[in-house]
């Protein structure tokens, strides 16, 4: 259990920034250099600390101006801790106009391409985890960072890819891209993710490009499937489509006329009959998948809620003398264990 004012190695904890299931983050001052950092503390109990340590070993070698930089990693008998750049705030707090938001999205996409190139997945991209420091956007919160080979189902509701919800497949680069696209849709529109793809703002060229990016990633036929493709589209407005070349050879003009006639008939049939029927069938299939995914997600969220309530009953919130509540690190660790225990017993 750590509190403001505690000293960990050469760092003095100066303020609590956030707390979650896997650890807590403080702002901290290096007592030797007097520099300020964000310092995260993760319990080593269970596998969470070891997984995060392994991912950090790979992440520390990455160098990109829009990736959160890790400065120092250390351990105690019970905890892993590491220091990061201390952000000035969240990207959403900047209220950027579409041109500046487009530039920020391209930079984050470039940073994500570096992360994916190292075989790492973020797994929790959302507006709250897009930070701002010295005029530059940062991809922050490394709490769920892991290697692609070790990735399991996790994330935030509204930013989870259909790959996870519908197909029950493990996360990959496309699931990060889905959350990235939804995040910048929310930042542009001001809407929560459930209102995607509604947009009521001004349709400037920059806003249009951001919205098309979101559609290509979230609803398109894999038009943009890597972070580098997303970056290039945001910068240039063009998507690379792989279209097979069809080379038709013919010597006689009669053969050419017959071919053109056949193509005309086929095109008419395709656009007049087959395509409308196919589109209707696809819409029905997608709606069925969406309803099934929503039902599965609702069931999962209900289990998580029940697990939290079970843990809180076992270990209730502590109260100060003034009646306000607080949570200790020991309580967080024990509640997390109880939640996992509940979920294992109630599949």
């Amino acid at each position: 259990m750590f509190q403001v004012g505690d000293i960990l190695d050469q760092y003095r904890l100066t303020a609590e920034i956030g707390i979650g299931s896997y650890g807590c983050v403080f702002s901290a001052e290096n007592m030797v250099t007097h520099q300020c950092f964000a310092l995260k503390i993760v319990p080593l109990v269970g596998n969470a600390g070891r997984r995060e340590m392994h991912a950090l070993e790979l992440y520390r070698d990455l160098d990109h101006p829009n990736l959160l930089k890790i400065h120092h990693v250390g351990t105690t008998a019970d905890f892993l801790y590491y220091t990061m750049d201390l952000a000035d705030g969240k990207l959403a707090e900047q209220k950027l106009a579409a041109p500046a938001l487009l530039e920020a999205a391209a930079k984050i996409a470039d940073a994500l391409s570096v992360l994916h190139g190292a075989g790492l997945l973020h797994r929790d991209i959302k507006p709250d985890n897009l930070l701002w420091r010295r005029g530059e956007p940062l991809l922050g919160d490394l709490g769920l960072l892991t290697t692609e080979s070790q990735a399991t189902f996790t994330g935030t509701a509204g930013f989870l890819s259909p790959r996870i919800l519908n197909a029950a497949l493990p996360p990959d680069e496309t699931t990060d891209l889905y959350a990235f696209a939804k995040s910048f849709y929310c930042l542009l529109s001001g809407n929560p993710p459930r209102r995607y793809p509604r947009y009521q703002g001004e349709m400037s060229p920059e806003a249009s490009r951001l919205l098309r990016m979101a559609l290509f990633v979230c609803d398109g036929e894999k038009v943009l499937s890597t972070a580098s493709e997303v970056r290039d589209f945001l910068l240039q407005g063009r998507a690379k489509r792989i279209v097979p070349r069809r080379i038709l050879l013919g010597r006689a003009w009669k053969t050419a006329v017959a071919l053109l006639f056949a193509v005309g008939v086929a095109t008419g049939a395709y656009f007049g009959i087959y395509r409308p029927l196919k589109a209707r069938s696809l819409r029905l299939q997608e709606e069925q998948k969406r309803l099934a995914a929503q039902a599965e997600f609702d069931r999962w969220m209900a289990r998580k809620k029940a697990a939290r309530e079970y843990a809180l009953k076992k270990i209730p919130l502590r109260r100060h003398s003034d009646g306000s509540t607080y949570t200790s690190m020991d309580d967080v660790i024990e509640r997390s264990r109880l939640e996992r225990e509940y979920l294992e017993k109630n599949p």
Side-chain angles (χ1 to χ4, degrees):
M1 176 180 176
F2 291 88
Q3 300 178 9
V4 173
D6 288 350
I7 294 175
L8 181 59
D9 199 353
Q10 70 264 37
Y11 300 97
R12 179 185 290 109
L13 308 183
T14 56
E16 185 178 294
I17 296 176
I19 189 167
S21 298
Y22 296 103
C24 54
V25 181
F26 292 88
S27 63
E29 180 187 8
N30 186 305
M31 296 186 296
V32 178
T33 64
H34 300 292
Q35 292 176 292
C36 291
F37 301 95
L39 186 148
K40 183 171 184 179
I41 304 171
V42 182
L44 288 173
V45 62
N47 294 323
R50 286 189 289 273
R51 284 200 303 266
E52 194 153 346
M53 172 68 83
H54 178 60
L56 285 172
E57 289 173 354
L58 299 176
Y59 180 86
R60 286 188 69 187
D61 295 332
L62 303 184
D63 185 18
H64 192 281
N66 303 105
L67 283 177
L68 203 61
K69 188 171 182 60
I70 303 298
H71 296 279
H72 176 75
V73 179
T75 58
T76 68
D78 301 312
F79 295 96
L80 160 71
Y81 68 92
Y82 56 94
T83 60
M84 307 166 280
D85 292 327
L86 184 61
D88 299 327
K90 297 178 181 179
L91 185 60
E93 297 168 350
Q94 302 302 310
K95 305 294 184 182
L96 298 179
L101 195 60
L102 178 66
E103 181 182 355
K107 289 180 177 180
I108 294 293
D110 191 51
L112 193 58
S113 72
V114 172
L115 192 72
H116 288 169
L120 294 169
L121 299 179
H122 189 280
R123 295 198 299 166
D124 197 22
I125 299 175
K126 56 185 177 183
D128 281 349
N129 290 341
L130 299 175
L131 308 177
W132 189 259
R133 183 174 186 267
R134 297 179 180 176
E136 287 291 328
L138 285 175
L139 181 57
D141 195 342
L142 310 178
L144 297 180
L145 183 76
T146 189
T147 55
E148 185 167 356
S149 62
Q150 295 178 320
T152 55
F153 175 86
T154 191
T156 299
F159 301 95
L160 295 172
S161 166
R163 171 186 171 86
I164 296 175
L165 294 176
N166 295 352
L169 296 173
D172 65 359
E173 294 181 9
T174 64
T175 58
D176 270 355
L177 288 180
Y178 184 92
F180 166 91
K182 277 288 189 74
S183 295
F184 276 95
Y185 159 77
C186 294
L187 291 172
L188 174 68
S189 65
N191 293 335
R194 68 176 181 276
R195 291 186 59 81
Y196 170 85
R198 298 180 182 87
Y199 179 70
Q200 301 83 24
E202 179 185 355
M203 189 60 76
S204 64
E206 294 82 6
S208 173
R209 191 177 300 181
L210 281 167
L211 289 172
R212 283 187 293 137
M213 178 274 294
L215 290 170
F216 284 158
V217 171
C218 299
D219 300 331
E221 299 176 354
K222 304 301 181 185
V223 177
L224 301 173
S225 57
T226 68
S228 57
E229 288 178 0
V230 170
R231 174 204 60 206
D232 292 345
F233 176 79
L234 291 171
L235 292 174
Q236 303 167 12
R238 294 191 299 274
K240 294 181 180 179
R241 296 171 181 263
I242 301 175
V243 181
R245 294 183 177 182
R246 303 184 183 277
I247 303 175
L248 303 175
L249 301 177
R251 295 181 179 179
W253 66 270
K254 290 183 180 181
T255 303
V257 170
L259 180 61
L260 290 173
F261 179 77
V263 170
V265 172
T267 301
Y270 175 77
F271 285 100
I273 301 174
Y274 175 77
R275 188 173 179 179
L277 290 175
K278 183 66 174 178
R280 181 182 178 185
S281 175
L282 289 174
R283 285 196 299 271
L284 290 174
Q285 291 176 15
E286 289 299 319
E287 181 63 17
Q288 290 172 353
K289 289 180 180 179
R290 187 189 68 79
L291 291 174
Q294 185 63 49
E296 177 62 23
F297 181 72
D298 290 343
R299 191 180 77 85
W300 178 72
M301 289 297 291
R303 288 178 63 231
K304 291 287 288 182
K305 181 179 178 181
R308 285 195 298 270
E309 291 175 349
Y310 170 79
L312 278 172
K313 285 181 180 179
K314 294 287 186 180
I315 305 178
L317 294 172
R318 300 173 184 268
R319 293 187 177 274
H320 290 292
S321 57
D322 61 0
S324 61
T325 61
Y326 70 99
T327 298
S328 70
M329 176 61 72
D330 292 338
D331 288 350
V332 169
I333 294 171
E334 184 60 18
R335 285 198 199 107
S336 177
R337 186 190 67 77
L338 289 170
E339 287 182 20
R340 290 195 299 271
E341 177 185 276
Y342 180 90
L343 292 173
E344 291 172 357
K345 292 180 178 179
N346 299 274

